[in-house]
Amino acid sequence: NAGVMQNPRHLVRRRGQEARLRCSPMKGHSHVYWYRQLPEEGLKFMVYLQKENIIDESGMPKERFSAEFPKEGPSILRIQQVVRGDSAAYFCASSPPATSPGTQYFGPGTRLTVL
Amino acid sequence: QKEVEQDPGPLSVPEGAIVSLNCTYSNSAFQYFMWYRQYSRKGPELLMYTYSSGNKEDGRFTAQVDKSSKYISLFIRDSQPSDSATYLCAMTDSNYQLIWGAGTKLIIKP
């Protein structure tokens, strides 16, 4: 059973460009979470999605960031008009329905560098 | 004040030593407590999951929760160089959102 897949693993963008990060959850998992991690810091929750629904986006910046989890295909985290402060590791996690709170399975992350 | 406090370290110990990692928290509504391990440039992986106060053991790892003191610990016995990683505590109330500590970097010296 493949784990959570994220691509690309590394992404370099210039200021003002768009970054698109993809996450394929584990088979059978319908819940997806996105986190951001800065060097030497813990994980910051961004958004929680289920298929075709955003459940909680309280951690998402109000502008330039959006996320989706369509009925078919991976979850996408989109960052428009990137700035240097967006440089970070972005992790996706998934969990099956009706699981104990906090049991999430993480992907390897996408490291975004904004030049 | 952060909701979850965790000493970032680094904590350096010799191989074979017992390691103690700790977190404190301020929200008495937290019910579920997790320890994740994160190797450099990898995603976190769930190590231990506890719900109630007390101890939970899994191999060389023991998780301890003291709700009255709002304090959780992870003990690693017979530490190995392969245990060198960053250990993150996380906790949640009855919903899904995890609140994370900053992580403690652990170094096991051969």
Side-chain angles (χ1 to χ4, degrees), chain A residues 17-112:
Chain A
Q17 291 184 320
E18 178 179 287
R20 191 173 292 212
L21 288 61
R22 294 176 185 76
C23 169
S24 296
M26 287 180 70
K27 187 176 181 180
H29 289 195
S30 56
H31 299 205
V32 166
Y33 313 79
W34 285 94
Y35 294 88
R36 177 163 60 179
Q37 187 177 39
L38 294 171
E40 310 303 323
E41 293 189 15
L43 292 154
K44 301 295 184 192
F45 168 80
M46 299 182 75
V47 62
Y48 164 40
L49 310 108
Q50 294 180 17
K51 286 282 188 182
E52 299 185 279
N53 282 306
I54 296 174
I55 307 301
D56 182 353
E57 56 182 346
S58 59
M60 289 273 273
K62 293 286 186 281
E63 297 176 352
R64 301 189 298 108
F65 286 73
S66 63
E68 62 178 7
F69 188 16
K71 186 176 180 181
E72 301 290 338
S75 175
I76 306 286
L77 178 68
R78 182 186 301 163
I79 311 172
Q80 296 177 299
Q81 299 176 319
V82 295
V83 300
R84 288 214 173 113
D86 296 332
S87 295
Y90 291 84
F91 289 97
C92 166
S94 72
S95 66
T99 188
S100 301
T103 53
Q104 298 176 12
Y105 298 84
F106 282 79
T110 293
R111 278 159 184 80
L112 173 65

Side-chain angles (χ1 to χ4, degrees), chain B residues 28-48:
Chain B
S28 57
F30 288 149
Q31 299 178 28
Y32 303 89
F33 305 91
M34 279 68 63
W35 285 96
Y36 282 79
R37 177 175 62 194
Q38 185 176 23
Y39 290 112
S40 180
R41 309 191 80 76
K42 302 284 187 184
E45 58 176 319
L46 181 64
L47 268 182
M48 299 287 285

Side-chain angles (χ1 to χ4, degrees), chain B residues 89-105:
Chain B
C89 65
M91 47 201 77
T92 180
D93 56 21
S94 57
N95 65 22
Y96 49 83
Q97 190 178 126
L98 286 169
I99 308 299
W100 296 83
T104 298
K105 185 173 183 178

